[in-house]
Every structure is written in structure tokens, then in C-alpha cells.
Amino acid sequence: VQLVESGGGSVQPGGSLTLSCAASGFTFSSYHIGWYRQAPGKERESVATVPSFGGSTMYADSVKGRFTISRDDVKNMVFLQMNSVRPEDTAVYFCHAYSWTDVNGHWGQGTQVTVSS
């Protein structure tokens, strides 16, 4: 089982960035997928989730209207489109896959996003 995030980097406030997460080793389409982030000295927090087999996406209030989560069950990938980024979006972003029969799920190694002028 493997989740590999990519697409992180440095971006100026107001800019955009797209994170990707490539999954392998499990039935991706059966899993709910979430993006989480952890800033220095802070707890890991949920950013956005996309359920398996359709359904509504969910977003943290802090990113609503700015971030968009999507998934491609053919390519076994999930994306996080980040627009109008702010310095407070600076964090390590993690991909997490879980299901009702695999509640602990699987985590990626994370990708760093730094928003700074």
C-alpha cells in the first residue's frame, strides 16, 4: 500500500498550487480520501475529503471557496487545487485513504507547502 503526494512548493500569497496523491496497493475506488495538513507546532487538521463512489465533498471552513478536492478512480489519484492561498495555508499536506472496514487507513509521507512573499 502506498500513497505518494507531490506538487508542494513555495508560492506567493494569492497564488495557486495543485497537490496530487498517487495511490497503489489497494482498491482505491472503495476508499474515502482526505487531505490533511500540519503546520509547525500545530495538530494535524482535516482540509478536505472526497467520499468513495460519489457523494458530497467536505471542506474545512478555512479553505471553503478556495480549495477543491477531486479524485480520478481510473488513475487512482486525488488532487487538491489550492487557489488564493494565504500564509496560514503553510503546512505539510498529507493524503489519507480510509474505509469503513479499514478505519485507520493509509497515510502518505506529506508534501510541504509554503506561502510567503
Side-chain angles (χ1 to χ4, degrees), residues 28-42:
F28 181 80
S29 60
S30 298
Y31 279 65
H32 310 300
I33 307 296
W35 282 100
Y36 291 72
R37 67 185 181 188
Q38 188 166 19
K42 295 188 176 181

Side-chain angles (χ1 to χ4, degrees), residues 78-101:
V78 62
F79 307 96
L80 185 69
Q81 175 66 44
M82 305 168 62
N83 296 328
S84 302
V85 297
R86 304 167 180 169
E88 55 263 39
D89 295 323
T90 296
V92 178
Y93 284 72
F94 299 88
C95 179
H96 179 230
Y98 65 98
S99 72
W100 302 122
T101 58

Side-chain angles (χ1 to χ4, degrees), residues 37 45-49 58-67:
R37 67 185 181 188
E45 63 175 356
S46 175
V47 175
T49 58
M58 297 181 66
Y59 297 92
D61 287 343
S62 58
V63 307
K64 278 182 182 176
R66 300 189 297 121
F67 291 9

